Amino acid sequence: MVFKLPQIIGHRGCAGYAPENTLAGIHTAADMGIKWVELDVKITKDQVPILFHDDDVERTTNTTGPIAEMTLDEVKKLDAGTWFSESFLGTQVPTLHEAIDAILERDLGLNLEIKACPGREKETAEVVLDELSHIWDDHNRLLISSFSHVSLETAFDMADDWNRGLLLTAEPPENWQEFAQHLDVSSIHFNGNDANSDFIAALLETGKQLMAYTINDPGQAHVLQSLGVRCICSDEPDVIMDGILTVH
Ligand code: G3P
Ligand code: MG
């Protein structure tokens, strides 16, 4: 079997329906029949990989402060569910290990985005890849992505045969093709809400697999698909699934 991105990936688990980057999100995606999830990983002060998106805990927990300054014990006391809905009261920030257990149990593929806190790009990639090397076997269903070239380069140095994805912002650097080549990525991930057809043509010309994020409008998913983009990352993957043609 070769590495092939699925057509739909649940963004931050299944962020439209469950608090982002939680076990509840992973299970929600699996319950919908989604085959892959995208999750963001950081490390705690004491170097434990956890699922978390922001550098500060304010938006998605019941307190405030920089996550890089918190130990795992402190992170585990946070409520990462109530901000989303009272029904998720008591939801914890999961460790990467807990998330992988759930992903393996539900037989999902994983796009793991290394979302290091500033200055921790190399360290985060090192700790995450080291942990994954002990708990993940099927590299056709694992993709390590990042906006950080330092994190991707570290992943390349540690495990050049693992699949990597280059994340581009809505305003990519001029030499993004060189980065994709240099980092030997399997895929390029771009903001599919802002991209125009010329940019998508340039992306397709690289021959890399493409993932468009974060698409919650089935009409836009359909446009992207008609331009040749196979993989859509969405907060509402069920809506996208209903709106696009299934291609094998
Ligand atoms: O990996 C795609 C997407 O998750 C990138 O943006 O900010 O949602 O992590 P963000
Ligand atoms: Mg992400």
Side-chain angles (χ1 to χ4, degrees):
M1 209 170 94
V2 291
F3 172 74
K4 190 173 178 187
L5 281 173
Q7 275 193 272
I8 299 170
I9 297 183
H11 181 235
R12 305 185 194 174
C14 199
Y17 300 104
E20 64 186 55
N21 290 311
T22 64
L23 300 184
I26 294 168
H27 288 295
T28 303
D31 289 345
M32 281 178 178
I34 301 305
K35 303 295 183 206
W36 278 58
V37 286
E38 185 264 1
L39 298 166
D40 304 293
V41 66
K42 289 185 182 296
I43 53 173
T44 60
K45 187 177 181 184
D46 47 346
Q47 288 201 320
V48 180
I50 51 165
L51 300 191
F52 213 78
H53 182 276
D54 296 359
D55 292 335
D56 195 285
V57 301
E58 181 169 12
R59 181 178 63 87
T60 58
T61 77
N62 55 334
T63 185
T64 61
I67 190 111
E69 294 300 318
M70 295 182 181
T71 63
L72 180 64
D73 278 355
E74 289 164 338
V75 166
K76 279 294 183 187
K77 292 188 181 110
L78 302 175
D79 179 335
T82 309
W83 71 276
F84 186 84
S85 154
E86 285 290 335
S87 62
F88 290 98
L89 171 73
T91 301
Q92 285 189 331
V93 173
T95 63
L96 177 63
H97 204 311
E98 289 165 342
I100 299 291
D101 284 347
I103 286 166
L104 295 177
E105 178 199 326
R106 300 305 300 264
D107 198 25
L108 298 172
L110 172 62
N111 171 200
L112 188 63
E113 182 189 341
I114 299 180
K115 193 73 129 186
C117 291
R120 304 189 84 183
E121 291 82 2
K122 187 169 195 292
E123 180 191 5
T124 302
E126 284 172 350
V127 172
V128 167
L129 264 80
D130 182 56
E131 175 145 321
L132 281 172
S133 69
H134 297 109
I135 56 178
W136 192 283
D137 287 326
D138 183 359
H139 285 280
N140 287 320
R141 293 212 290 174
L142 174 67
L143 175 64
I144 305 291
S145 65
S146 191
F147 287 107
S148 162
H149 298 170
V150 172
S151 292
L152 285 176
E153 188 128 37
T154 304
F156 180 69
D157 289 344
M158 289 180 74
D160 62 359
D161 54 337
W162 293 19
N163 292 293
R164 286 171 299 283
L166 174 65
L167 268 158
L168 299 178
T169 62
E171 288 176 23
E174 265 183 32
N175 50 350
W176 60 268
Q177 284 107 326
E178 281 167 43
F179 283 122
Q181 183 132 4
H182 172 70
L183 297 164
D184 193 20
V185 295
S186 304
S187 56
I188 302 177
H189 306 191
F190 66 101
N191 185 323
N193 293 300
D194 292 338
N196 61 43
S197 54
D198 286 347
F199 181 56
I200 291 175
L203 288 164
L204 285 166
E205 240 174 67
T206 64
K208 308 285 185 190
Q209 295 186 51
L210 302 183
M211 181 187 99
Y213 69 89
T214 300
I215 308 299
N216 296 326
D217 170 13
Q220 181 65 4
H222 196 77
V223 168
L224 289 162
Q225 190 180 37
S226 68
L227 290 170
V229 178
R230 174 182 159 81
C231 177
I232 304 287
C233 186
S234 178
D235 296 321
E236 298 177 2
D238 57 335
V239 174
I240 299 299
M241 190 158 54
D242 290 344
I244 62 171
L245 300 169
T246 304
V247 187
H248 294 286

